């Protein structure tokens, strides 16, 4: 079946489907048990404790008091995330940088300004979406969060997603894409691709900080991905 230049979604391991652009090879032709193990990590119990929480403002104090990993010790505070508490589009980055740590707000430094610009290019603004990160506390010297830190923080993001129930999640960069889709994602190769999991559409794109390092090539691609987001939103996102 053809769908606007795409071929039929292919079943993946686990609950994912992959939309394969016409003429391109599928990213996940078939996967064995090893891949299944990576994806199906045991459910941390914090997520279950919070099942009764149905509003982001009720969840906030739980996340702000999180001490599940050592990152909180080196950070000024916890960056919960911000935006429309009923947003149907969620953006997920990596983790707070210095400016975010100082202000308690996600994506407010140079990368955040580029994200604002990208949103504006498709006539969205911050208050139309919800912006969060894989880890909520700034890693020292802005290093990449370590796998145990990601695992420790993931219940926080999962709880936010359970409450928000976004229809579309935009994955900014490798950490978000590899954590929420699959470790084999490579952003340079896979940006612009859509994945579906449990009724939610995931778009892989560049982290704005990566675009700042290579604007000549990546800015145009980021804006192309934003256009794809807008189209998807027109197609499925408007209805609550
Ligand atoms: N980079 C991120 O990944 N998140 C932020 O909030 C800021 C910069």
């Amino acid at each position: 079946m053809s769908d606007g230049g795409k071929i039929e979604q292919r079943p993946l391991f686990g609950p994912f489907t992959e939309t394969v652009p016409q003429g391109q090879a599928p990213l996940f032709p078939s996967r064995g048990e090893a891949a299944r193990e990576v994806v199906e990590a045991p459910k941390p119990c914090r997520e279950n404790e919070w099942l009764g929480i149905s509003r982001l403002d009720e969840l906030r104090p739980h996340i702000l008091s999180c001490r599940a990993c050592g990152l909180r010790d080196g950070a000024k505070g916890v960056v919960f995330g911000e935006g429309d508490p009923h947003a149907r589009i969620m953006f997920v980055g990596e983790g707070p940088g210095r400016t975010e740590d100082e202000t308690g707000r996600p994506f407010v430094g140079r990368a955040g300004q580029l994200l604002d610009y990208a949103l504006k290019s498709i006539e969205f603004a911050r208050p139309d979406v919800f912006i969060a990160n894989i880890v909520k506390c700034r890693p020292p010297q802005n290093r990449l969060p370590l796998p145990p830190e990601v695992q420790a923080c993931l219940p926080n993001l999962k709880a936010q997603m359970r409450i928000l129930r976004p229809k579309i999640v935009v994955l900014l960069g490798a950490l978000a894409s590899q954590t929420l889709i699959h470790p084999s994602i490579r952003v340079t190769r896979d940006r612009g691709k859509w994945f579906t999991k449990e009724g939610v559409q995931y778009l892989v794109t560049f982290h704005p900080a990566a675009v700042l390092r290579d604007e000549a090539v990546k800015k145009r691609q980021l804006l192309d991905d934003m256009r794809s987001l807008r189209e998807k939103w027109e197609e499925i996102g408007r209805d609550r």
Side-chain angles (χ1 to χ4, degrees), residues 132-187:
N133 280 305
I134 292 285
V135 298
K136 312 296 188 202
C137 297
R138 182 191 181 205
Q141 281 82 50
N142 290 346
R143 66 157 167 74
L144 208 61
L146 302 172
E149 293 161 350
V150 170
Q151 289 310 312
C153 206
L154 213 44
N156 296 328
L157 180 66
K158 292 272 181 73
Q160 290 178 312
M161 292 176 73
R162 179 184 58 76
I163 293 169
L164 199 60
R165 291 192 298 111
K167 286 188 167 182
I168 296 173
V169 178
V170 181
L171 301 163
L172 299 169
L175 187 74
S177 305
Q178 292 171 354
T179 304
L180 295 183
I181 301 287
H182 194 273
S184 65
I185 295 275
R186 296 291 170 267
V187 176

Side-chain angles (χ1 to χ4, degrees), residues 93-97 100 106-107 133 207:
E94 187 179 293
E100 290 75 23
F107 282 100
N133 280 305
H207 191 288

Side-chain angles (χ1 to χ4, degrees), residues 24 82 146 237:
Q24 282 190 28
E82 68 177 27
L146 302 172

